[in-house]
Amino acid sequence: MWSDPDNIETWGFNPRGAGLIFGSKVTNEFNRINGFDLICRAHQLVMEGYKFWFDNENLVTVWSAPNYCYRCGNAASILKVDDNLAYEFEMFYESSDSSKSLDKARIPYFL
């Protein structure tokens, strides 16, 4: 199933055309049943490199490709978790060398 978080309470249809969207109530219940404090997920572009969802920030989307497709201008991050489950984000940004060596006209636009 392909599902993305959104600012709703339960479930809805995903505007990306595949799967569903889910909200804070679904996330809270899933975390409670499974004894989780935080869900970490990926595969959804966020411009800041990572994004916490909902009032209690119990879900985070991490995006690890800076300047996705050489045209989105987004930051990227990696979530680092230690043995005590403390976490921090390591941020990454577009490399100036990579944008100089790429012929952007030859990359098909598919976003």
Side-chain angles (χ1 to χ4, degrees):
M1 177 175 17
W2 187 288
S3 299
D4 295 325
D6 207 333
N7 293 317
I8 61 174
E9 283 195 13
T10 57
W11 296 96
F13 290 105
N14 193 326
R16 293 203 291 171
L20 301 169
I21 56 174
F22 61 92
S24 59
K25 187 174 181 181
V26 172
T27 304
N28 291 338
E29 184 176 353
F30 182 87
N31 283 350
R32 182 186 57 76
I33 289 170
N34 292 286
F36 295 160
D37 294 321
L38 179 68
I39 298 170
C40 178
R41 62 182 295 276
H43 209 68
Q44 181 182 16
L45 175 64
V46 289
M47 294 304 292
E48 306 86 356
Y50 67 92
K51 178 180 179 179
F52 282 99
W53 291 86
F54 315 125
D55 290 340
N56 57 1
E57 296 186 340
N58 62 352
L59 184 142
V60 64
T61 298
V62 178
W63 185 259
S64 61
N67 194 29
Y68 184 58
C69 293
Y70 301 99
R71 63 172 47 105
C72 290
N74 62 286
S77 70
I78 293 175
L79 177 61
K80 297 165 64 173
V81 182
D82 70 17
D83 292 339
N84 297 314
L85 300 181
Y87 57 86
E88 64 179 320
F89 294 91
E90 186 169 342
M91 300 299 298
F92 298 90
Y93 303 93
E94 174 185 14
S95 166
S96 59
D97 290 341
S98 68
S99 63
K100 290 178 187 174
S101 64
L102 181 69
D103 181 5
K104 294 178 185 176
R106 292 175 27 135
I107 297 175
Y109 183 74
F110 62 89
L111 294 177

